[in-house]
C-alpha cells in the first residue's frame, strides 16, 4: 500500500441494501513507517498479530455477501489494528486506555510494551484514524440518503480463552456473542441475529465484548442507523491463534448471509 492509498476498502452492494458489513480487525499489515515505532522484534510481532487479529473475518463477510439474496455493502480495514483501532474513541472516553489500548495501542494483548512511553499517537490518528472515520460516516450517510436507513453489522472474532488485556473476560464466551447498543440495536435486529446464528450454537449477549460501532455523527441521535456487533468465537471456524480457517467458516458466512437478508427487507 502506497502512502496515497486509503487504509480501507469500501465495496459496493445492491443499491437498495441498507446493510454495511464492517470488518475493522481482519488485516495483519503494518506499514514500514508504523513498524519502526513498535518495539517488538519480528517473531514477537507475528505472535502478537496472531492474538490480536480477527483472522478470516473479511473472508466470512465476503462469502456472506456472495451468498446473500441482497448484496450488502462492505467496509473493510486493510491495515492491522496495531496501526490504529478505528473502533476506539480517540480520547479519554475510551475505557481500553486503562490497558494501553486506546485508538493507538501502547501495550500488547499480554500487557507487554508495544510502543515506547514517549510515542505520540497524534500522527497515526491524523493519518489513519480520522480518514477512516470520515469515510465510514460518509458511507452511512449515503445509505441514509438512498434507502432511508442504515444497518451496520460489525464482524469480529475473539479467542476461546481470555487474553490478559480483556477487561471483561470473566463472563460467558459463547460461540457467537452479539454486542448491542441501547439506542441503535432494535429488538427486531437482535431477534434476527439470534435466529440466524442459532444454527452455529448458543448466542450470548454483550459478553465477553459488548457494544457496537456507530459513527459519532450519528451515535445516540439518529434512530435510522441500526447497529449490531457479531463476535465469533475463533474455535468455531479456525485454528488458534492465527491459524488456518476450517469448514466452520462457510457455516458462519451462511448464517451471516441469512441475517443480512432478514434485515434488508
Amino acid at each position: 500500500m502506497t502512502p496515497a492509498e486509503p487504509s480501507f476498502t469500501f465495496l459496493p452492494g445492491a443499491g437498495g441494501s441498507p446493510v454495511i458489513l464492517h470488518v475493522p480487525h481482519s488485516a495483519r499489515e503494518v506499514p514500514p513507517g508504523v513498524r519502526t515505532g513498535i518495539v517488538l522484534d519480528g517473531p514477537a510481532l507475528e505472535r502478537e498479530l496472531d492474538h490480536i487479529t480477527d483472522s478470516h473475518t473479511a473472508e466470512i463477510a465476503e462469502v456472506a455477501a456472495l451468498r446473500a439474496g441482497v448484496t450488502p455493502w462492505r467496509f473493510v480495514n486493510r491495515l492491522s489494528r496495531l496501526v490504529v483501532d478505528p473502533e476506539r474513541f480517540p480520547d479519554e472516553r475510551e475505557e481500553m486506555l486503562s490497558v494501553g489500548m486506546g485508538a493507538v495501542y501502547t501495550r500488547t494483548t499480554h500487557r507487554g510494551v508495544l510502543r515506547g512511553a514517549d510515542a505520540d499517537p497524534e500522527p497515526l490518528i491524523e493519518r489513519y484514524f480520522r480518514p477512516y472515520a470520515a469515510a465510514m460516516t460518509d458511507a452511512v450517510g449515503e445509505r441514509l440518503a438512498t434507502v432511508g436507513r442504515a444497518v451496520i453489522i460489525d464482524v469480529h472474532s475473539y479467542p476461546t480463552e481470555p487474553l490478559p488485556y480483556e477487561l471483561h473476560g470473566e463472563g460467558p464466551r459463547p460461540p457467537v456473542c452479539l454486542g448491542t447498543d441501547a439506542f441503535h440495536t432494535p429488538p427486531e435486529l437482535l431477534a434476527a441475529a439470534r435466529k440466524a446464528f442459532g444454527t452455529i450454537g448458543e448466542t450470548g449477549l454483550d459478553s465477553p465484548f459488548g457494544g457496537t460501532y456507530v459513527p459519532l455523527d450519528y451515535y445516540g441521535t439518529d434512530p435510522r442507523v441500526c447497529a449490531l456487533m457479531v463476535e465469533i468465537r475463533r474455535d468455531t471456524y479456525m485454528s488458534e491463534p492465527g491459524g488456518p480457517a476450517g469448514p466452520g467458516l462457510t457455516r458462519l458466512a451462511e448464517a451471516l448471509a441469512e441475517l443480512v437478508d432478514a434485515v434488508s427487507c
Side-chain angles (χ1 to χ4, degrees):
M1 191 179 74
T2 67
E5 290 181 298
S7 63
F8 50 84
T9 300
F10 187 41
L11 299 161
S17 173
V19 178
I20 299 173
L21 297 180
H22 182 218
V23 188
H25 296 157
S26 65
R28 294 175 68 98
E29 182 179 348
V30 178
V34 180
R35 174 68 180 93
T36 58
I38 292 175
V39 303
L40 303 179
D41 64 21
L45 177 58
E46 289 302 309
R47 288 194 297 272
E48 180 62 15
L49 287 167
D50 286 345
H51 288 297
I52 199 65
T53 304
D54 292 352
S55 300
H56 314 296
T57 49
E59 185 179 353
I60 292 173
E62 179 182 9
V63 176
L66 290 171
R67 299 199 175 203
V70 181
T71 305
W73 300 67
R74 283 180 289 146
F75 196 106
V76 183
N77 190 2
R78 301 171 63 197
L79 297 180
S80 168
R81 63 199 289 192
L82 297 184
V83 179
V84 296
D85 191 330
E87 294 207 312
R88 302 290 200 233
F89 287 112
D91 52 37
E92 68 282 349
R93 290 173 292 178
E94 180 52 58
E95 71 165 350
M96 294 302 291
L97 279 171
S98 65
V99 290
M101 287 187 165
V104 177
Y105 296 177
T106 59
R107 311 294 287 190
T108 70
T109 51
H110 289 73
R111 303 204 181 196
V113 177
L114 182 74
R115 290 182 170 91
D118 59 347
D120 180 7
E122 184 56 33
L124 294 178
I125 289 174
E126 180 65 24
R127 168 65 180 89
Y128 297 108
F129 185 95
R130 292 192 179 103
Y132 189 108
M136 188 64 181
T137 300
D138 290 345
V140 171
E142 195 276 334
R143 288 296 84 203
L144 291 175
T146 302
V147 298
R149 63 191 183 104
V151 182
I152 303 168
I153 300 176
D154 249 0
V155 185
H156 290 262
S157 72
Y158 72 96
T160 303
E161 298 297 327
L163 290 168
Y165 83 93
E166 295 182 25
L167 292 179
H168 310 290
E170 70 283 352
R173 303 179 83 84
V176 178
C177 161
L178 302 174
T180 66
D181 179 86
F183 186 89
H184 291 283
T185 310
E188 57 270 22
L189 174 56
L190 185 58
R194 287 190 183 280
K195 181 176 184 297
F197 288 102
T199 58
I200 305 300
E202 178 190 359
T203 57
L205 197 65
D206 292 315
S207 175
F209 298 98
T212 190
Y213 177 79
V214 175
L216 290 177
D217 283 8
Y218 303 105
Y219 184 68
T221 60
D222 196 331
R224 298 175 300 164
V225 180
C226 299
L228 180 76
M229 179 170 66
V230 176
E231 286 271 7
I232 303 161
R233 202 177 65 207
R234 291 175 188 160
D235 66 337
T236 63
Y237 74 94
M238 64 173 283
S239 298
E240 299 178 80
L249 185 147
T250 300
R251 294 194 296 270
L252 283 158
E254 289 171 345
L256 182 57
E258 180 182 333
L259 173 59
V260 167
D261 283 342
V263 300
S264 295
C265 302

